[in-house]
């Protein structure tokens, strides 16, 4: 039997990385082995992956030498950063550069870098339609990731640049789900107008990434955008109404109102939604559902995802 190619997965206990590790483990004849990289190999999630058959190794995106050790001997690497853990675009860039350097040092033959668009190409810093953040960003967690693309390119790391979409799990974990208004009716509140929002189940990001690794060199040097479905806020509310068996309205608000909600990252999120709304054609066009399904035939629609997850959505 041919030796399996090792895929080193950063953030293996998180949404994207966890989906990829499980996709590899669920395909024992696929020719790949999963190396789960995590800061804490003793965590419950790390132990769970080890019990499922993953090789679990220590690695920290703030420590390039640890990443070099974690990537050593691997064929591929899945690279992702964690903006919402620290809200620092500069740290995101430093972490991405560290992963690119580690991939180069380890001789990685195929890296996937989970990135985003640079929103300043369509909304320059001089454009007052949305506020400039930290003096140099429009959507900080997009723009910083895009700036980091050049680290992989300049170092000559064979890379696929993966554009992800809004996780439907944000409805469960990130406070983006329906909330009760003064009249007790649930409402989904986004500043999206009637524009479509590309969304995806987080586990399908990992499955699509696995599909890219399986395609091999076909996707090296390319940018690939993935989504499970493109839906308006009203369409999401209709699907939620059916799944939750109670009315969910779509509450469209101005982006300025959303930015003023005051939760950590509200300004960045408000700018992000406004960007997706104002440039629906470009943003949705970069995330092809058919391509996503070709990489991952089990790709879920929102309705499919809700069948398994609606009961987990907190109704505040």
């Amino acid at each position: 039997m041919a030796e399996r190619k090792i895929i080193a997965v950063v953030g293996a206990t998180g949404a994207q990385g966890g989906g990829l590790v499980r996709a590899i483990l669920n395909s024992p004849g696929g020719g790949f082995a999963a190396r789960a990289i995590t800061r804490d190999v003793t965590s419950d999630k790390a132990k769970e992956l080890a019990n499922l058959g993953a090789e679990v190794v220590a690695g920290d995106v703030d420590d390039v030498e640890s990443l070099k050790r974690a990537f050593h001997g691997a064929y591929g690497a899945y690279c992702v950063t964690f903006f919402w853990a620290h809200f620092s675009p500069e740290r995101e860039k430093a972490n991405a550069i560290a992963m690119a350097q580690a991939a180069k040092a380890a001789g990685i033959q195929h890296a996937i870098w989970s990135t985003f668009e640079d929103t300043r190409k369509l909304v320059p810093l001089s454009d007052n339609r949305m506020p400039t953040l930290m003096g140099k960003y429009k959507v900080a967690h997009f723009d910083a990731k895009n700036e980091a693309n050049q680290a992989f390119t300049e170092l000559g790391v064979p890379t696929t640049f993966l554009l992800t979409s809004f996780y439907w799990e944000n409805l469960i974990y990130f406070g983006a789900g329906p909330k009760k208004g003064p009249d007790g009716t649930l409402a989904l509140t986004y500043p999206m107008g009637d524009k479509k929002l590309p969304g995806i189940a987080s586990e399908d990001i990992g499955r699509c990434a696995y599909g890219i690794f399986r395609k091999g060199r076909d996707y090296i040097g390319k940018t690939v955008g993935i989504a499970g479905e493109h839906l308006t806020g009203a369409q999401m509310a209709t699907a939620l109404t059916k799944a939750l068996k109670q009315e969910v309205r779509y509450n469209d608000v101005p982006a300025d109102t959303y930015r003023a909600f005051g939760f950590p990252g509200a300004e960045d999120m408000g700018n992000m939604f406004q960007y997706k709304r104002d440039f629906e054609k470009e943003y949705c066009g970069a995330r092809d559902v058919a391509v996503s399904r070709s990489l991952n035939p089990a790709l879920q629609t929102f309705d499919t995802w809700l069948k398994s997850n609606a009961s987990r959505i907190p109704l505040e």
Side-chain angles (χ1 to χ4, degrees):
M1 182 176 177
E3 187 174 347
R4 292 184 295 168
K5 298 176 179 177
I6 296 169
I7 305 296
V9 183
V10 175
T13 59
Q16 296 186 33
L20 174 55
V21 169
R22 284 175 170 79
I24 296 169
L25 295 176
N26 290 335
S27 182
F32 293 93
R35 178 181 292 168
I37 300 173
T38 179
R39 285 177 298 179
D40 183 3
V41 298
T42 65
S43 72
D44 289 343
K45 288 183 177 180
K47 290 177 180 177
E48 180 184 351
L49 293 177
N51 289 336
L52 291 173
E55 174 194 7
V56 178
V57 302
D60 188 334
V61 291
D62 289 310
D63 180 357
V64 66
E65 294 304 320
S66 77
L67 290 176
K68 288 177 182 179
R69 293 190 294 271
F71 284 5
H72 180 73
Y75 160 82
Y78 187 80
C79 301
V80 62
T81 49
F82 314 103
F83 179 83
W84 302 110
H86 49 68
F87 299 95
S88 170
E90 303 309 314
R91 187 171 171 186
E92 284 232 302
K93 286 187 283 187
N95 292 162
I97 290 168
M99 286 185 280
Q101 291 172 337
K104 178 67 174 180
I108 292 295
Q109 296 180 54
H110 190 177
I112 296 178
W113 161 230
S114 180
T115 186
F116 279 123
E117 292 89 341
D118 186 336
T119 63
R120 296 164 297 186
K121 291 180 180 178
L122 295 177
V123 191
L125 296 182
S126 59
D127 191 326
N128 292 323
R129 281 178 293 176
M130 64 176 68
T132 294
L133 306 179
M134 305 177 202
K136 55 183 176 180
Y137 303 110
K138 288 298 185 180
V139 181
H141 75 286
F142 275 45
D143 301 343
K145 283 184 173 67
N146 188 274
E147 285 183 21
N149 290 3
Q150 66 182 16
F152 292 86
T153 301
E154 290 176 356
L155 288 169
V157 178
T159 304
T160 301
F161 300 91
L162 183 66
L163 303 177
T164 61
S165 292
F166 177 88
Y167 302 174
W168 291 322
E169 281 77 9
N170 288 337
L171 302 177
I172 302 171
Y173 302 114
F174 200 65
K179 293 179 174 56
K180 288 183 180 179
D183 65 353
T185 302
L186 291 167
L188 197 64
T189 301
Y190 303 139
M192 285 293 297
D194 61 355
K195 305 303 182 183
K196 290 185 175 180
L197 175 67
I200 195 167
S202 61
E203 65 184 334
D204 280 333
I205 296 174
R207 291 170 179 167
C208 288
Y210 181 51
I212 291 170
F213 280 124
R214 294 188 69 173
K215 295 282 186 182
R217 303 196 66 83
D218 293 354
Y219 279 93
I220 288 175
K222 294 183 179 179
T223 298
V224 183
I226 56 174
E229 203 166 5
H230 300 168
L231 297 169
T232 65
Q235 288 172 326
M236 291 178 70
T238 297
L240 283 161
T241 296
K242 179 181 177 181
L244 296 171
K245 296 182 173 55
Q246 57 179 305
E247 183 184 3
V248 178
R249 298 173 184 165
Y250 170 52
N251 180 29
D252 177 40
V253 296
D256 280 341
T257 299
Y258 196 93
R259 283 187 280 267
F261 280 162
F263 62 83
E267 282 192 306
D268 203 61
M269 290 285 287
N271 282 11
M272 177 199 74
F273 280 122
Q274 183 179 342
Y275 178 82
K276 294 176 181 183
R277 180 195 71 194
D278 293 353
F279 302 100
E280 177 197 37
K281 180 180 178 182
E282 292 85 351
Y283 193 79
C284 287
R287 289 157 175 80
D288 191 315
V289 175
V291 169
S292 306
R293 186 163 284 110
S294 74
L295 294 168
N296 168 25
L299 186 73
Q300 298 167 78
T301 64
F302 190 45
D303 283 337
T304 303
W305 180 84
L306 282 171
K307 286 178 182 176
S308 300
N309 293 280
S311 63
R312 302 166 62 207
I313 299 173
L315 304 178
E316 302 174 16

